Amino acid sequence: MFYKYLERFSQYKPTELKIVVIDSAGFHSFKHCTTPENIRLIRIPPYMQELNPSEKIWQYIKQYYKNKVFATLDAVKQWRHKFTENKLKKKLVKSITQNAFF
Protein backbone atom coordinates (compact mmCIF):
# COMPACT_ATOMS: atom_id res chain seq x y z
CA MET A 1 0.00 0.00 0.00
CA PHE A 2 2.79 2.45 0.87
CA TYR A 3 4.51 1.72 -2.42
CA LYS A 4 1.26 2.43 -4.28
CA TYR A 5 1.08 5.74 -2.43
CA LEU A 6 4.63 6.61 -3.52
CA GLU A 7 3.81 5.74 -7.12
CA ARG A 8 0.77 8.06 -7.09
CA PHE A 9 2.66 10.78 -5.20
CA SER A 10 5.45 10.67 -7.80
CA GLN A 11 2.88 11.41 -10.54
CA TYR A 12 1.85 14.67 -8.84
CA LYS A 13 4.16 17.33 -10.29
CA PRO A 14 6.39 14.64 -11.80
CA THR A 15 9.34 16.98 -12.43
CA GLU A 16 9.52 17.92 -8.75
CA LEU A 17 11.88 16.05 -6.42
CA LYS A 18 10.02 14.78 -3.36
CA ILE A 19 11.74 13.93 -0.09
CA VAL A 20 9.81 11.57 2.18
CA VAL A 21 10.88 10.92 5.76
CA ILE A 22 10.04 7.39 6.89
CA ASP A 23 10.55 5.40 10.05
CA SER A 24 11.35 1.70 10.35
CA ALA A 25 7.73 0.55 10.30
CA GLY A 26 7.21 -2.76 8.52
CA PHE A 27 5.07 -1.23 5.79
CA HIS A 28 8.00 1.01 4.78
CA SER A 29 9.89 -2.05 3.54
CA PHE A 30 10.89 -2.15 -0.15
CA LYS A 31 12.28 -5.63 -0.66
CA HIS A 32 10.73 -6.14 -4.10
CA CYS A 33 10.01 -2.55 -5.16
CA THR A 34 11.96 0.31 -6.64
CA THR A 35 11.39 3.82 -5.36
CA PRO A 36 10.11 6.17 -8.09
CA GLU A 37 12.87 8.25 -9.68
CA ASN A 38 11.61 11.60 -8.33
CA ILE A 39 11.31 10.46 -4.70
CA ARG A 40 14.10 10.22 -2.14
CA LEU A 41 13.50 8.43 1.14
CA ILE A 42 15.15 9.54 4.37
CA ARG A 43 14.94 6.75 6.90
CA ILE A 44 15.11 7.90 10.52
CA PRO A 45 16.68 5.66 13.16
CA PRO A 46 14.39 3.44 15.27
CA TYR A 47 13.04 5.00 18.45
CA MET A 48 13.70 8.55 17.21
CA GLN A 49 10.11 9.76 16.85
CA GLU A 50 11.15 13.36 17.47
CA LEU A 51 12.79 13.32 14.02
CA ASN A 52 9.59 12.22 12.27
CA PRO A 53 7.72 15.28 10.94
CA SER A 54 4.37 13.49 10.95
CA GLU A 55 4.75 12.74 14.67
CA LYS A 56 5.20 16.45 15.31
CA ILE A 57 2.00 17.21 13.40
CA TRP A 58 0.08 14.59 15.42
CA GLN A 59 1.47 16.04 18.63
CA TYR A 60 0.19 19.47 17.58
CA ILE A 61 -3.26 18.11 16.63
CA LYS A 62 -3.57 16.23 19.94
CA GLN A 63 -3.53 19.55 21.81
CA TYR A 64 -6.94 20.27 20.31
CA TYR A 65 -8.16 16.67 20.16
CA LYS A 66 -7.59 15.47 23.73
CA ASN A 67 -10.53 15.36 26.14
CA LYS A 68 -13.06 15.47 23.30
CA VAL A 69 -15.79 12.86 23.05
CA PHE A 70 -17.20 11.86 19.67
CA ALA A 71 -20.37 9.89 19.10
CA THR A 72 -19.02 8.01 16.08
CA LEU A 73 -15.84 7.31 14.18
CA ASP A 74 -17.29 9.37 11.33
CA ALA A 75 -17.57 12.35 13.71
CA VAL A 76 -13.85 11.98 14.51
CA LYS A 77 -13.03 11.95 10.79
CA GLN A 78 -15.18 15.03 10.18
CA TRP A 79 -13.54 16.90 13.05
CA ARG A 80 -10.05 16.00 11.83
CA HIS A 81 -10.90 17.02 8.26
CA LYS A 82 -12.24 20.42 9.36
CA PHE A 83 -9.28 20.95 11.68
CA THR A 84 -6.80 20.13 8.94
CA GLU A 85 -8.58 22.31 6.43
CA ASN A 86 -8.97 25.32 8.75
CA LYS A 87 -5.92 25.20 11.05
CA LEU A 88 -3.04 23.44 9.32
CA LYS A 89 -1.89 26.05 6.84
CA LYS A 90 1.37 25.61 4.94
CA LYS A 91 3.32 28.14 7.05
CA LEU A 92 2.21 26.50 10.32
CA VAL A 93 3.09 22.99 9.10
CA LYS A 94 6.55 24.20 8.10
CA SER A 95 7.10 25.76 11.52
CA ILE A 96 5.97 22.59 13.33
CA THR A 97 8.01 20.17 11.23
CA GLN A 98 11.14 22.28 10.99
CA ASN A 99 14.13 20.33 12.20
CA ALA A 100 17.78 21.28 12.60
CA PHE A 101 18.80 17.76 11.53
CA PHE A 102 17.41 18.07 7.96
Side-chain angles (χ1 to χ4, degrees):
M1 186 59 111
F2 182 64
Y3 181 71
K4 291 286 185 193
Y5 164 77
L6 290 178
E7 284 182 322
R8 295 288 302 271
F9 186 41
S10 75
Q11 294 167 8
Y12 174 75
K13 296 185 179 182
T15 59
E16 179 180 84
L17 176 64
K18 295 147 180 59
I19 297 173
V20 179
V21 178
I22 60 173
D23 57 18
S24 54
F27 57 85
H28 291 153
S29 172
F30 289 92
K31 291 178 184 174
H32 305 291
C33 302
T34 304
T35 307
E37 194 66 32
N38 62 339
I39 293 181
R40 299 290 182 272
L41 301 176
I42 297 176
R43 192 174 293 272
I44 60 174
Y47 311 107
M48 297 291 287
Q49 292 178 342
E50 65 273 10
L51 296 179
N52 188 337
S54 63
E55 293 294 336
K56 291 181 175 190
I57 294 291
W58 280 117
Q59 185 177 20
Y60 178 81
I61 292 172
K62 287 177 191 177
Q63 296 176 77
Y64 299 92
Y65 181 75
K66 65 182 175 186
N67 299 324
K68 288 192 181 292
V69 177
F70 298 93
T72 65
L73 183 56
D74 193 49
V76 175
K77 290 177 184 179
Q78 287 176 15
W79 179 89
R80 190 202 51 184
H81 178 75
K82 286 181 185 176
F83 182 86
T84 302
E85 203 170 58
N86 297 325
K87 301 275 188 196
L88 291 181
K89 304 298 181 197
K90 191 175 189 176
K91 187 175 180 179
L92 176 64
V93 170
K94 282 183 174 184
S95 73
I96 294 169
T97 59
Q98 182 176 328
N99 193 316
F101 298 107
F102 299 122

